[in-house]
Amino acid sequence: MNEQAMAVADNHKAALDDAGKFSVLIADDHVMVQEGLTAIIDRQPDMRVVAQVANGEEASREWEKLRPDVTLMDLRMPTLDGVGAIERIHRMDHTARIIVLTTFDTDNDIYRAIKAGARGHLLKDVPREELLDCIRRVQRGETCIPPLLAAKLASGMSKDSLAGRELDVLSLLAQGKSNKDIGRNLFIGETTVKSHLRSIFTKLNVLSRTEALTVASQRGLIRL
């Protein structure tokens, strides 16, 4: 068999090997994560990795070119983060199936990703079988969000978002400032500070400053 015939045969075999498989795009800025996920996915009889990218810009560009069935998207990436990439992709096709796979699990990170259009959320230390099950479920058009997380998100989404000035008050509170100091920093009176704090407590469903700081930190609103 000459080289041209062998090439044709190889291409035909590759086409047969890929028959019936759905495509997966991996977006993560860590090469070892990319390679590990690819090794796991490519061993499956029903899926294959079609591209690996390292930032959100590349993710949105490759998604537009390849139109993968499922995308695994990290959140914290250079150039354009995962949420930004999800938003871009959903502007191209609102039916895009994207799973957020990240080491970060603050409520705010999750909320932003789901709001942008992600259909699943998993941590990077998830067991292999759970990862593969989630990929298959999302490929079928289902969502893949753990029940406890879904309940927490539903609760959080039902609350009004904190206003800009409320976030300013919360940030100064995290620095250990008193009401008087917060008022001085923001050029508002202590009565106004107390009013903002009452609103913050209501929106975060807490009863004290300590609880407010704890919940705000868990949601990614502040860093302690």
Side-chain angles (χ1 to χ4, degrees):
M1 183 181 293
N2 59 36
E3 291 184 2
Q4 183 176 3
M6 289 177 64
V8 171
D10 287 343
N11 289 338
H12 179 64
K13 181 178 184 299
L16 289 176
D17 288 344
D18 287 339
K21 294 188 177 185
F22 61 85
S23 55
V24 179
L25 168 68
I26 297 172
D28 195 292
D29 61 335
H30 292 92
V31 174
M32 291 184 66
V33 174
Q34 291 183 12
E35 292 178 348
L37 289 171
T38 299
I40 292 171
I41 292 169
D42 280 348
R43 285 200 297 267
Q44 306 309 307
D46 56 343
M47 60 182 81
R48 64 190 175 98
V49 174
V50 292
Q52 303 172 39
V53 298
N55 62 63
E57 288 280 358
E58 294 176 349
S60 56
R61 184 167 59 248
E62 288 300 298
W63 191 95
E64 183 176 21
K65 180 170 67 176
L66 299 171
R67 301 283 170 151
D69 296 301
V70 178
T71 299
L72 295 178
M73 185 80 71
D74 190 14
L75 285 183
R76 307 289 175 89
M77 294 186 291
T79 311
L80 180 67
D81 67 10
V83 173
I86 294 171
E87 290 172 341
R88 283 192 183 181
I89 291 170
H90 270 257
R91 282 197 291 270
M92 289 185 270
D93 184 352
H94 72 279
T95 66
R97 297 177 171 90
I98 301 173
I99 299 169
V100 169
L101 185 64
T102 180
T103 55
F104 300 92
D105 63 347
T106 63
D107 291 359
N108 194 50
D109 287 322
I110 301 167
Y111 174 80
R112 290 176 60 236
I114 300 301
K115 186 177 180 182
R119 297 196 179 188
H121 181 280
L122 292 172
L123 296 181
K124 288 184 179 179
D125 60 359
V126 67
R128 180 181 60 183
E129 291 309 314
E130 190 173 334
L131 165 68
L132 295 171
D133 177 64
C134 184
I135 293 174
R136 291 184 175 104
R137 287 171 56 192
V138 170
Q139 189 274 333
R140 293 196 299 264
E142 303 174 21
T143 57
C144 182
I145 302 174
L148 290 177
L149 178 55
K152 184 187 292 186
L153 284 172
S155 175
M157 290 177 183
S158 68
K159 303 293 184 183
D160 294 330
S161 299
L162 294 183
R165 183 46 59 94
E166 291 168 347
L167 289 172
D168 292 337
V169 170
L170 199 56
S171 178
L172 291 170
L173 191 66
Q175 297 174 31
K177 303 288 187 183
S178 66
N179 287 358
K180 185 176 181 179
D181 290 335
I182 293 173
R184 186 182 297 116
N185 276 266
L186 298 178
F187 303 102
I188 57 178
E190 284 188 64
T191 301
T192 304
V193 172
K194 291 178 181 178
S195 176
H196 285 313
L197 286 173
R198 284 195 297 271
S199 179
I200 291 169
F201 290 178
T202 298
K203 291 179 179 179
L204 297 182
N205 194 28
V206 298
L207 299 175
S208 70
R209 291 169 176 251
T210 302
E211 282 186 292
L213 293 176
T214 300
V215 172
S217 176
Q218 290 174 344
R219 294 191 181 185
L221 300 175
I222 59 171
R223 295 190 181 278
L224 298 178

